[in-house]
Amino acid sequence: MGRRSLRKIDPQLDLSRHFFEWSQLAKPIPLSDILPGTGPLELEVGSGKGLFLENASARFPGHRFLGIELAGKYARFAAARLARHGRPNAVVVHGHALDILTEGIPDSSAHALHLYFPDPWWKKRHHKRRMMNPDFLAQVLRVLQGGGRFHFWTDVRDYFELGLEAVAAFPEFSAPAFPPEEPPQHDRDYRTHFERRTRLAGQPVYRAQFTKQSPAC
C-alpha cells in the first residue's frame, strides 16, 4: 500500500519540543535534553504519520518515545500530531534509521524497539534495502537492554518469513512470540495507519516479538 497525502500542518503549531533534525543533533543524541526524565526508552523506526507514538505515549506516560522517520514531511506531520495532543514524552527525529541507531543511541539504553510495516521494496533487486538485514539487527541488539523487546510487524508474508530467518541468525534473540490480533476499541486503536488500512481491508497482519536475552551469569 502506498502512502496517502497528508493534511497541512497548522503553521502556528510549535514543533520545537517534538521535531529534531538528525543532522543538527549532537552524537550520541542528548536524550536527557530532548526527552527529559528517566522512564524506559522506546524507539520506533519508521514513524510515518505518528499514530503509534501518539497512542503509546498516552498509554504509557512514564515511558519516553523516540520515533525515527526518513521522510521529512512525515516526520514533521508525526511531530505535529504529538504537539497538538500535548505529548511531552515523545519526539520524532528526521533522518536515516541505521545512522541514528549506530551513532545516536547508546548501548543497552532502550526498553523496546518497534518496526511496523517497513517498506517491503517489492523488486528483487531492491531487497537489499529492506530494514530486516544483519546490519540493522546488530544495532537493534546493541541498543536494547537485556530483556528488551523487538517488535516486527508487516503485511507482506514473504518479508515476514525472511525477517524471522534474519533474526534467527542472532542467538542473542529469543525465539519469536506471535502476539494475537486484538479487536480495536475505537477507530484509531491500531499500532499504525498501515495496520488500520490492512485490517479494514480484511487482509492479514503478521506479528512477531523477540526478546534480547540477558547474558548468562
Side-chain angles (χ1 to χ4, degrees):
M1 296 182 185
R3 285 179 160 180
R4 296 179 178 177
S5 59
L6 299 174
R7 300 189 306 273
K8 290 185 178 180
I9 298 173
D10 181 354
Q12 302 301 316
L13 197 60
D14 180 10
L15 304 186
S16 63
R17 291 278 311 278
H18 297 92
F19 176 81
F20 298 90
E21 289 282 0
W22 165 241
S23 61
Q24 297 175 9
L25 287 172
K27 282 69 173 174
I29 294 173
L31 294 173
S32 60
D33 292 342
I34 69 171
L35 275 173
T38 58
L41 174 67
E42 302 202 31
L43 308 173
E44 184 192 20
V45 171
S47 296
K49 295 179 181 178
L51 184 61
F52 169 74
L53 293 175
E54 177 196 340
N55 288 341
S57 60
R59 185 178 180 187
F60 300 103
H63 288 210
R64 297 174 298 155
F65 294 87
L66 188 151
I68 300 170
E69 174 56 47
L70 179 61
K73 64 180 181 179
Y74 279 87
R76 287 186 175 277
F77 188 90
R81 189 183 209 109
L82 299 174
R84 190 168 60 251
H85 291 280
R87 299 285 192 266
N89 60 324
V91 300
V92 180
V93 177
H94 170 221
H96 193 283
L98 191 57
D99 291 343
I100 294 171
L101 292 177
T102 303
E103 301 176 44
I105 307 299
D107 294 356
S108 303
S109 59
H111 173 76
L113 188 144
H114 305 262
L115 178 66
Y116 298 127
F117 303 90
D119 193 328
W121 292 103
W122 293 105
K123 295 181 180 179
K124 189 172 183 180
R125 68 176 183 273
H126 292 159
H127 283 186
K128 62 184 178 181
R129 300 184 182 181
R130 289 176 167 178
M131 288 302 302
M132 292 292 281
N133 63 62
D135 290 341
F136 172 73
L137 292 172
Q139 290 304 317
V140 174
L141 269 176
R142 184 187 64 78
V143 303
L144 283 178
Q145 303 165 349
R149 294 180 177 181
F150 171 42
H151 304 265
F152 168 50
W153 293 18
T154 179
D155 57 339
V156 182
R157 182 166 185 170
D158 77 307
Y159 191 6
F160 185 69
E161 292 172 349
L162 290 171
L164 295 182
E165 292 179 11
V167 176
F170 291 81
E172 299 91 339
F173 280 121
S174 69
F178 301 104
E181 182 170 289
E182 298 180 356
Q185 301 302 307
H186 51 79
D187 188 53
R188 287 292 184 267
D189 188 23
Y190 298 91
R191 289 291 174 100
T192 73
H193 284 87
F194 267 90
E195 186 200 6
R196 180 177 181 275
R197 288 169 56 187
T198 300
R199 289 177 60 180
L200 291 178
Q203 299 171 352
V205 172
Y206 306 98
R207 305 168 177 83
Q209 175 183 288
F210 309 89
T211 301
K212 178 181 176 178
Q213 303 183 88
S214 300
C217 297

